[in-house]
Amino acid sequence: MKKQLLLLTILIVTALSSSAQKKSTTPKPAKKPTTATITTKALEVKEVADIPFVILNLAPSNPVSQEVIAKVKSQGINLSGNDFKIPRSTERGFMYDSFLLYKENLDAYLINLKGDIEKIPTGSRLITVTKNNYRVLADACKYENDWTKCRNIRIIDSTGKTISPDFSQYYYGQMESFYNSEDHTYIIVSASLDSQNIITEEGKTLFPKDVSKLSFILPGYIYYEEGGKRKLMELKTKKITDLSGYSRVTGLRVNSYLVGELNGKNVLINPANNKVLFETDKLIGEVHGLDDSTPKNYFALGGFQDVTLVGISGKKVLEDQYKRVYFQNDGITFFVENKQGKENFYNLAKKAFVYKDFYTQLKSEGELTLVKYQKYYEVYNNMGNSNTSNDGYLMYDESKKVTDVQICNNLLSITKKIDDNNTLYDVYSALTHTFLYENVKSFGRIRNADYYYMVNKTGEDNKRTIINGKGAILVDEIIVPDYIQYNNSKGYFEFTKKFNGKPTECYDKKGVKIECTK
């Protein structure tokens, strides 16, 4: 399988935070709330020369400019070789047009899309950056009563002033998180394990009285319990839905649907209207993809090694059950592994499997795709297109007994088994998309040469043709009695009696015999 995206390999301060929805592009300053204002020292701004991360060209809401990438790279960010992915607006850890990096000593630095680098004060933890460019900070976390707690939560405006009231009764810890929506920032804080609230970028609390079991169950929604009832609030409209009829409720974040248990059945629920879309005896899970191109409204019923793929109504997309199912990054193709460990792709648009059967091996060699069902390969020419679509044409079926394909510069060497003792070779040009040789006795690279190859057309009299990596003939016919190698420093071919012996004859690249110089 091709992997298109690098995984997040460092700890982000928001690793437990919830996903966020797509944001609008032009932040507007928010009005200051009528709360007590305490002047504090502005955040320290410092240029950093040794941030050890690779910045990928992904951004919270916009592409990172090449100027920003160049600036950060010029400061030596790749010291430890870690790859860093900036969270997008639909992912956990999203902050408005900013991202957070840690040094190896755990010093934290905030970088915005202009390339400004801001050091987070020592002893403080940055929770998030709001849409109006405020900072939500807490003191460094401490371990209290078997729980990690970050106290002294405060909101700092762009001038360095604290605009929030006294939040001393609350802490931000390992079970708390934040959510940056299109318009607002919401942060879950706790007074105790069973007493929680949400504060906004304005320094206000969302609930008049604390509630329990708060979570950003879906983008745009919060789940909580109050007065013994399970409730769901849509943050944009503040609409509250009573979920007490379900014995348990969880969220599917890719599809933004709820899963509940009702009368002993698992049900899929539309959070907008509390409508049950389908019910099943099996577990309901997401069908994950490799990136944001994952199509919505597809679900996996069951567990590992027993997956049924269904649509939004619960109707089966594929009849059989499989070990694994997930989306490819083209957005229309499923990868499917059956219970025998064989694989295939399913194309949603064509409503058909890509390959005729489940294969044991799939690989690409240049523009060719090799599929092995049993013993031999079928070879497709996809002209460099993805093997998940297989839009090319069939070059070899299994009856041709292809056992291997090798890339040789701009050539492809195709090995075919004739019988137990004999093989033949075809040589295909990736430049002209034509066969240069078919059914030749042997084909291989000349020793010590990365760009020169030898073809034996008939297998008789040790006659060889020497070609380069583009297929051009250098020597149309030459007799090689024993061994041949290329002398890179002197630029000619050497014949030897032994594998590593001294040259007995030497030839230039045109096949003209020359003196073997010392």
Side-chain angles (χ1 to χ4, degrees):
M1 296 299 307
K2 296 183 179 178
K3 300 289 184 183
Q4 273 70 32
L5 285 176
L6 296 173
L7 297 176
L8 181 62
T9 57
I10 64 169
L11 290 176
I12 309 175
V13 69
T14 55
L16 294 175
S17 61
S18 296
S19 300
Q21 295 174 338
K22 185 177 181 181
K23 61 178 281 301
S24 57
T25 57
T26 307
K28 297 180 180 179
K31 293 182 179 180
K32 294 184 179 180
T34 56
T35 54
T37 300
I38 304 172
T39 301
T40 62
K41 184 180 178 181
L43 295 181
E44 176 186 358
V45 178
K46 180 182 178 181
E47 292 296 320
V48 184
D50 57 353
I51 300 177
F53 300 101
V54 178
I55 304 297
L56 304 184
N57 193 15
L58 300 172
S61 59
N62 300 291
V64 179
S65 70
Q66 292 301 314
E67 290 78 11
V68 172
I69 294 174
K71 178 178 179 180
V72 180
K73 283 185 176 181
S74 69
Q75 295 170 355
I77 60 174
N78 195 21
L79 299 184
S80 65
N82 291 324
D83 296 318
F84 183 80
K85 177 182 176 183
I86 304 167
R88 301 184 189 182
S89 60
T90 55
E91 297 176 325
R92 293 178 183 270
F94 162 69
M95 293 187 290
Y96 293 106
D97 293 327
S98 302
F99 53 93
L100 193 68
L101 290 180
Y102 285 106
K103 285 177 59 177
E104 291 176 340
N105 62 1
L106 297 184
D107 283 345
Y109 295 87
L110 183 69
I111 303 176
N112 64 25
L113 295 190
K114 296 179 181 179
D116 300 325
I117 299 178
E118 179 179 309
K119 185 180 185 300
I120 305 305
T122 302
S124 296
R125 170 173 178 169
L126 177 71
I127 296 175
T128 188
V129 176
T130 69
K131 186 176 181 179
N132 54 3
N133 203 32
Y134 289 3
R135 313 286 190 261
V136 184
L137 292 166
D139 288 348
C141 299
K142 295 182 179 180
Y143 202 60
E144 301 178 16
N145 301 321
D146 298 327
W147 216 253
T148 301
K149 300 178 181 180
C150 313
R151 297 192 178 276
N152 190 21
I153 301 168
R154 65 267 189 200
I155 301 174
I156 311 296
D157 69 13
S158 56
T159 68
K161 293 181 179 180
T162 299
I163 61 100
S164 56
D166 183 9
F167 287 137
S168 59
Q169 74 270 36
Y170 296 116
Y171 61 84
Y172 186 88
Q174 64 197 56
M175 296 302 293
E176 289 65 48
S177 56
F178 73 87
Y179 169 69
N180 284 321
S181 75
E182 182 177 347
D183 300 306
H184 297 288
T185 293
Y186 303 92
I187 303 163
I188 295 177
V189 294
S190 298
S192 66
L193 293 181
D194 296 319
S195 182
Q196 297 173 298
N197 214 315
I198 286 179
I199 61 176
T200 69
E201 77 278 3
E202 298 174 336
K204 298 178 180 180
T205 53
L206 188 63
F207 297 99
K209 294 182 179 180
D210 289 352
V211 296
S212 63
K213 298 185 179 178
L214 262 171
S215 69
F216 297 112
I217 191 167
L218 296 174
Y221 292 87
I222 55 171
Y223 171 88
Y224 63 100
E225 296 186 10
E226 183 181 40
K229 292 185 177 181
R230 299 181 180 87
K231 296 184 179 182
L232 181 77
M233 177 189 288
E234 185 179 9
L235 287 169
K236 187 174 183 179
T237 63
K238 303 302 184 290
K239 175 186 174 182
I240 297 174
T241 301
D242 189 350
L243 300 177
S244 300
Y246 307 104
S247 56
R248 62 171 178 81
V249 179
T250 57
L252 300 180
R253 302 191 63 84
V254 171
N255 289 274
S256 292
Y257 287 102
L258 298 172
V259 173
E261 186 175 329
L262 183 64
N263 301 324
K265 298 279 189 178
N266 292 312
V267 294
L268 185 72
I269 308 163
N270 186 338
N273 55 19
N274 199 25
K275 179 182 178 180
V276 173
L277 300 174
F278 68 82
E279 64 177 30
T280 177
D281 292 324
K282 297 183 177 182
L283 297 176
I284 303 174
E286 308 255 43
V287 181
H288 293 285
L290 300 177
D291 62 13
D292 290 345
S293 64
T294 297
K296 304 299 188 290
N297 299 334
Y298 292 94
F299 305 90
L301 304 187
F304 180 66
Q305 298 187 356
D306 186 20
V307 177
T308 301
L309 183 66
V310 301
I312 189 68
S313 66
K315 182 180 179 180
K316 290 182 180 180
V317 177
L318 299 175
E319 286 298 323
D320 292 335
Q321 295 175 331
Y322 300 94
K323 289 177 66 175
R324 288 189 299 157
V325 177
Y326 60 82
F327 281 114
Q328 292 299 112
N329 63 346
D330 60 5
I332 60 169
T333 311
F334 290 108
F335 165 83
V336 182
E337 180 182 355
N338 67 16
K339 292 187 175 182
Q340 290 73 43
K342 295 184 177 182
E343 302 169 355
N344 207 332
F345 296 99
Y346 184 82
N347 186 289
L348 283 173
K350 297 178 180 179
K351 296 183 178 180
F353 282 103
V354 172
Y355 296 98
K356 68 179 185 181
D357 199 357
F358 281 74
Y359 54 80
T360 60
Q361 186 181 11
L362 175 71
K363 66 177 183 176
S364 296
E365 296 290 351
E367 64 188 56
L368 305 186
T369 297
L370 283 66
V371 189
K372 182 181 285 187
Y373 303 107
Q374 298 295 331
K375 189 175 182 180
Y376 302 108
Y377 287 108
E378 279 194 346
V379 181
Y380 294 85
N381 192 321
N382 281 328
M383 302 294 286
N385 296 322
S386 170
N387 56 21
T388 63
S389 60
N390 193 32
D391 293 326
Y393 62 91
L394 181 65
M395 292 178 66
Y396 298 89
D397 60 23
E398 290 179 284
S399 68
K400 301 300 182 182
K401 298 183 179 180
V402 173
T403 60
D404 193 23
V405 174
Q406 294 289 329
I407 297 177
C408 305
N409 289 284
N410 298 113
L411 308 175
L412 289 161
S413 169
I414 298 137
T415 305
K416 303 179 294 185
K417 187 174 182 179
I418 305 306
D419 53 45
D420 291 339
N421 299 314
N422 295 285
T423 57
L424 292 177
Y425 299 85
D426 294 344
V427 181
Y428 180 84
S429 170
L431 296 176
T432 61
H433 309 294
T434 58
F435 284 99
L436 302 182
Y437 302 95
E438 294 184 81
N439 298 319
V440 297
K441 188 65 177 178
S442 69
F443 174 81
R445 182 175 62 87
I446 294 175
R447 191 157 60 95
N448 299 333
D450 293 329
Y451 195 64
Y452 300 111
Y453 300 88
M454 195 162 52
V455 182
N456 185 345
K457 300 177 183 178
T458 62
E460 299 177 358
D461 301 325
N462 294 323
K463 290 181 180 179
R464 302 289 189 269
T465 298
I466 297 177
I467 63 176
N468 65 18
K470 292 184 178 181
I473 296 175
L474 301 181
V475 182
D476 186 42
E477 187 176 283
I478 192 170
I479 295 177
V480 181
D482 297 294
Y483 298 96
I484 184 173
Q485 63 187 20
Y486 184 70
N487 190 317
N488 283 281
S489 63
K490 298 178 180 178
Y492 55 65
F493 300 103
E494 299 175 335
F495 291 178
T496 62
K497 293 291 185 182
K498 297 180 180 180
F499 184 72
N500 286 317
K502 294 182 179 181
T504 57
E505 295 181 21
C506 298
Y507 291 83
D508 65 16
K509 295 177 183 178
K510 295 182 179 180
V512 177
K513 187 175 182 179
I514 59 176
E515 181 181 358
C516 299
T517 61
K518 295 183 179 180

